[in-house]
DNA sequence: AAAAGGGCTTGACATTTATCAAGAAGATCT
DNA sequence: AGATCTTCTTGATAAATGTCAAGCCCTTTT
């Protein structure tokens, strides 16, 4: 299972990974399994690990005063999960992250991550690449949510991340889009007839 | 005016800037002035420069089929302006960036930026710090826009970036919040009476 | 000084979306 | 198998927000 991680890193870096470095990486990450509905992170916790998803599906969400879930992010195989802010600043998180499907992770602690980044250039490069893509994607999503109607956002999601629609229930997709489950159901019905 | 930039960088980096490096930085950035309403970047252009704002106020926005502006980002003194995606990938941008107030910039081209980052560790560190903060802020804004009502988002902006409200007209603030100018006007009236 | 334009507010009305409630189909648990 | 839970859909209604139009005030331009 470490192979997936090693391949993932090298594909996103310029500098190749040496055999010694590969060992460092293996040693730094510990495997962890989560059952359905198990928490990776709960509101109030400090996010101690950065987790690479080997298998499964998770979602990151906040809960408002009325008890409604608001989904901020989905994650599936080959995505990283963590609350960035909490992990970087070591402050309590306002989010929950839990497993929607049976999930397998490779986890690294923050101290181990910091030294690994210094020891392995490819890890540093991958991190930067991820940050870059992350902020570009976040900006697009912001633009979408302030400029487009609910229907346009749904159609865009259908185009860019169709696999989300197959792996998460509709009420989660609705929450991710910032609309109610009923509205999404009606939008889909309408979209069909076109 | 280069002092502002040098101070800005050293405050955001761990490694100090040597005298030789300061010269490299000075040489890499060229000053540029923009009058009100002048474009820094227009839809379809490739974003060639990363611009540090020494003075002034700008906004980055897209325009939809109906001709409506949707403001994605504001910038004032000590902010960086560029379309990240276009600058990194050298692809045509979907955004416009223009000066709302008289603006002074320090600009660096992409090749100069890449070599400066390698030559000056502090620049590299600052970049990473910015990316990190950028993605955290973007995530918060996404969460706000899918979870909160228009009024809550306005009150939050009032708390976190009150200076925006003083420097940009209300219809731009409304667009930034993803609501119409009329709705913002009504929200403010209501908020007063509380 | 007059004219033109931009920004803000207000009212009337239309549209979109949320909320509440109910029911059907399927999955899961015991 | 039966009970329970979840998901999805649909209808009725309410609430939030957008759109259009008009007017006022202030600034800029001529």
């Amino acid at each position: 299972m470490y192979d997936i991680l090693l391949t993932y890193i090298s594909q996103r870096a310029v500098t190749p990974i040496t055999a010694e470095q590969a060992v460092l990486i293996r040693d730094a990450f510990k495997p962890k399994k989560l059952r359905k509905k198990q928490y990776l992170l709960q509101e109030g916790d400090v996010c101690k690990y950065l987790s690479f998803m080997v298998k499964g599906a998770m979602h990151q969400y906040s809960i408002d005063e009325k008890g409604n879930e608001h989904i901020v992010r989905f994650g599936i195989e080959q995505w990283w999960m963590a609350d960035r802010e909490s992990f970087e600043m070591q402050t309590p998180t306002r989010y929950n992250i839990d497993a929607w499907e049976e999930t397998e992770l490779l986890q690294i602690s923050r101290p181990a991550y910091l030294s690994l980044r210094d020891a392995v250039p490819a890890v540093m490069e991958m991190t930067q690449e991820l940050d870059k893509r992350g902020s570009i994607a976040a900006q697009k999503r912001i633009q979408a949510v302030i400029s487009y109607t609910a229907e346009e956002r749904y159609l865009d999601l259908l185009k860019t991340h169709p696999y989300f629609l197959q792996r998460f229930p509709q009420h989660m997709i609705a929450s991710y889009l910032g609309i109610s489950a009923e509205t999404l159901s009606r939008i889909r019905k309408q979209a069909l007839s076109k």
Side-chain angles (χ1 to χ4, degrees), chain A residues 127-172:
Chain A
T127 302
Q128 284 175 238
E129 182 66 22
L130 275 184
D131 272 352
K132 207 173 69 183
R133 294 191 177 277
S135 31
I136 291 171
Q139 178 133 146
K140 277 190 187 164
R141 195 162 158 218
I142 289 172
Q143 204 234 338
V145 92
I146 67 174
S147 316
Y148 300 152
T149 63
E151 178 169 7
E152 287 168 324
R153 276 178 275 148
Y154 168 71
L155 293 174
D156 186 61
L157 184 66
L158 197 58
K159 199 163 57 184
T160 57
H161 302 287
Y163 37 89
F164 284 165
L165 306 190
Q166 279 147 16
R167 296 185 64 177
F168 296 96
Q170 274 185 45
H171 67 268
M172 286 192 190

Side-chain angles (χ1 to χ4, degrees), chain A residues 85-152:
Chain A
E85 181 171 8
S86 175
F87 182 72
E88 295 286 355
M89 321 283 191
Q90 293 290 296
T91 51
T93 181
R94 290 161 298 133
Y95 298 102
N96 300 277
I97 300 181
D98 62 31
W100 175 242
E101 299 175 2
E102 216 82 348
T103 295
E104 290 179 28
L105 303 170
L106 286 172
Q107 296 191 304
I108 187 169
S109 71
R110 192 171 147 76
Y113 168 69
L114 292 178
S115 50
L116 188 67
R117 214 173 51 173
D118 291 337
V120 185
V123 168
M124 173 71 93
E125 289 160 15
M126 176 209 68
T127 302
Q128 284 175 238
E129 182 66 22
L130 275 184
D131 272 352
K132 207 173 69 183
R133 294 191 177 277
S135 31
I136 291 171
Q139 178 133 146
K140 277 190 187 164
R141 195 162 158 218
I142 289 172
Q143 204 234 338
V145 92
I146 67 174
S147 316
Y148 300 152
T149 63
E151 178 169 7
E152 287 168 324

Side-chain angles (χ1 to χ4, degrees), chain A residues 9-23:
Chain A
I9 298 173
S10 23
Q11 282 175 352
R12 278 154 189 87
V14 204
T15 317
I17 299 175
T18 65
E20 295 81 37
Q21 289 175 348
V23 175

Side-chain angles (χ1 to χ4, degrees), chain A residues 19-109:
Chain A
E20 295 81 37
Q21 289 175 348
V23 175
L24 286 179
I25 296 176
R26 268 168 215 271
D27 289 347
F29 284 89
K30 308 284 173 232
K32 167 137 189 166
K33 288 194 184 193
L34 290 179
R35 294 251 163 70
K36 284 186 188 186
K37 308 214 176 171
Q38 238 184 304
Y39 285 110
L40 174 62
L41 186 73
Q42 262 182 294
E43 192 177 343
D45 291 351
V46 169
C47 182
K48 298 216 169 114
Y49 301 98
L50 183 59
S51 304
F52 178 76
M53 294 186 63
V54 175
K55 189 166 171 303
M58 316 188 79
H59 63 142
Q60 176 176 352
Y61 58 96
S62 64
I63 297 192
D64 65 18
E65 326 77 49
K66 293 179 198 154
N68 294 321
E69 271 189 30
H70 297 282
I71 293 180
V72 175
R73 213 159 73 86
F74 290 123
I76 57 174
E77 296 80 20
Q78 317 229 7
W79 287 54
W80 293 90
M81 290 305 280
D83 176 29
R84 197 67 206 289
E85 181 171 8
S86 175
F87 182 72
E88 295 286 355
M89 321 283 191
Q90 293 290 296
T91 51
T93 181
R94 290 161 298 133
Y95 298 102
N96 300 277
I97 300 181
D98 62 31
W100 175 242
E101 299 175 2
E102 216 82 348
T103 295
E104 290 179 28
L105 303 170
L106 286 172
Q107 296 191 304
I108 187 169
S109 71

Side-chain angles (χ1 to χ4, degrees), chain A residues 177-193:
Chain A
L177 292 171
I179 59 181
S180 70
E182 293 93 333
T183 298
L184 179 56
S185 173
R186 290 179 179 117
I187 284 172
R188 298 187 63 207
K189 192 181 169 189
Q190 259 201 318
L192 272 183
S193 66

